[in-house]
Amino acid sequence: MGKYEVTQKQWTEVMGSNPSGFKNCDTCPVEKVSWNDAQDFINKLNQKTGKKYRLPTEAEWEYAARSGGKNEKYAGGNDIDSVAWYKSNSGSKTHPVGQKQPNGLEIYDMSGNVYEWIQDWYDEGYYRKSPRDNPRGADSGQLHVLRGGSWDYSARISRAALRNVGNPVYRSYEGGFRLVVSSVRQ
């Protein structure tokens, strides 16, 4: 799991331009990227590096957000102001990655800053019928999952357990992503 969300600098180095609304901040998370845009970035990055980057599954994301499975309200604990940029403390903008406290796995900004696209398709009833350990998500759908909340939403929306959904072509000032690198694509 990436320690930080993909930054504007990283995006620009791979894609050649910056779609973000909050420009002139190389270390801020890239935003205004759709799920499809994230897939394009991943494909180019994989070609460039020879590695196998991807978006995290929803199960991977939540396990990492909860510091390896702990009972935490937000990614890193129960005090949102120490771990997240959200509506009450963001000043209505994104912030450079890594300024808040990390969670127990030394991963930053999994609550707040920008929503993070997840690889999984959204299926409202999937987890009632899924395997308990490491569920892979629905095989198909029309919407993809977003996790973590953002700079423009309340503390409640930034909880580690909250799921949101978006159309794979949807771009927003609140949406970005982080990467996972693996030896096998899932």
Side-chain angles (χ1 to χ4, degrees):
M1 182 75 61
K3 187 173 185 174
Y4 306 107
E5 296 153 328
V6 171
T7 65
Q8 293 180 31
K9 180 179 180 182
Q10 291 168 317
W11 179 275
T12 302
E13 287 172 352
V14 172
M15 303 301 282
S17 62
N18 182 359
S20 298
F22 299 108
K23 293 190 187 314
N24 300 320
C25 182
D26 283 350
T27 58
C28 286
V30 67
E31 23 84 14
K32 288 189 71 178
V33 293
S34 69
W35 185 90
N36 290 342
D37 295 335
Q39 297 303 315
D40 290 343
F41 174 88
I42 290 166
N43 288 333
K44 287 183 179 186
L45 182 63
N46 288 345
Q47 289 173 358
K48 187 175 182 177
T49 65
K51 294 184 180 180
K52 293 185 178 180
Y53 290 97
R54 60 181 172 81
L55 294 176
T57 66
E58 192 168 12
E60 289 169 333
W61 189 94
E62 187 161 343
Y63 182 81
R66 292 180 182 270
S67 301
K70 295 179 182 173
N71 186 16
E72 297 177 339
K73 190 171 187 177
Y74 306 103
N78 295 322
D79 176 18
I80 191 167
D81 286 307
S82 66
V83 298
W85 295 110
Y86 68 109
K87 190 169 188 88
S88 293
N89 70 2
S90 70
S92 299
K93 64 180 182 174
T94 60
H95 290 266
V97 299
Q99 290 188 332
K100 294 290 187 175
Q101 293 176 5
N103 71 7
L105 299 177
E106 297 295 312
I107 302 173
Y108 294 80
D109 303 310
M110 291 190 83
S111 286
N113 221 5
V114 291
Y115 263 114
E116 298 179 17
W117 284 108
I118 302 300
Q119 187 63 37
D120 298 11
W121 290 103
Y122 176 73
D123 175 349
E124 184 177 352
Y126 176 76
Y127 290 104
R128 287 191 292 275
K129 61 187 177 211
S130 71
R132 185 180 188 289
D133 294 331
N134 201 20
R136 300 289 180 187
D139 292 329
S140 63
Q142 294 182 347
L143 303 172
H144 278 283
V145 178
L146 291 146
R147 298 294 297 260
S150 83
W151 59 269
D152 195 34
Y153 285 89
S154 69
R156 186 182 73 76
I157 302 298
S158 298
R159 293 177 297 132
L162 191 94
R163 305 170 76 207
N164 202 343
V165 297
N167 186 300
V169 300
Y170 177 69
R171 293 182 179 108
S172 164
Y173 288 103
E174 294 97 13
F177 64 101
R178 81 176 59 235
L179 298 173
V180 171
V181 64
S182 63
S183 57
V184 178
R185 258 194 208 256
Q186 297 182 350

